[in-house]
Amino acid sequence: QVQLVESGGGLVQAGDSLRLSCAASGRTFSSRFMGWFRQAPGKDRELVGEVSGSGVYRNYADSVKGRFAISRDNAENTVYLQMNSLKPEDTAVYYCAASTVETRTYQYWGQGTQVTVSS
């Protein structure tokens, strides 16, 4: 069982930066893909970025490439999402997720943290 707790959301202005953190429980953190997803009102949940267990492989949604960066600290069981040049369309609830050990399927989810970007 993996528990995920996000932090770092808030209300910012367009062009500002925020860093989200996600602390994970358990001993298998470094064996799991970790991802950040977001869901805006009335829209489907979408993948923002993900990182492999080793941190070598990263994947981003086209809408955030060049602005957002995902990283992880396996010693601290924590994954981060650095968000720069924020836009109003980035407004959403952001969720941290952990994959199974065997696959890239996301199995565990955090409670979400609200990010609101004003224009």
Side-chain angles (χ1 to χ4, degrees):
Q1 191 77 359
V2 177
Q3 292 184 328
L4 304 171
V5 179
E6 301 103 333
S7 60
L11 172 63
V12 297
Q13 293 186 332
D16 286 351
S17 298
L18 271 179
R19 189 176 80 154
L20 305 183
S21 300
C22 173
S25 65
R27 300 181 181 179
T28 56
F29 179 77
S30 62
S31 300
R32 303 178 187 271
F33 264 76
M34 296 297 297
W36 285 98
F37 292 75
R38 67 186 181 187
Q39 187 166 22
K43 294 188 177 181
D44 293 334
R45 184 170 57 194
E46 63 173 349
L47 175 69
V48 175
E50 60 183 347
V51 59
S52 63
S54 66
V56 172
Y57 172 81
R58 293 178 175 86
N59 177 45
Y60 297 97
D62 287 343
S63 59
V64 307
K65 282 181 181 176
R67 300 188 298 123
F68 290 13
I70 190 169
S71 62
R72 65 189 297 159
D73 183 340
N74 286 343
E76 296 294 328
N77 275 22
T78 302
V79 62
Y80 303 98
L81 183 67
Q82 178 66 44
M83 305 185 292
N84 299 325
S85 302
L86 283 161
K87 304 176 181 180
E89 51 264 43
D90 294 317
T91 295
V93 178
Y94 284 70
Y95 298 92
C96 173
S99 75
T100 67
V101 171
E102 298 84 4
T103 74
R104 204 162 146 181
T105 301
Y106 288 96
Q107 182 179 23
Y108 301 100
W109 296 84
Q111 81 287 354
T113 186
Q114 177 70 46
V115 173
T116 303
V117 184
S118 64
S119 57

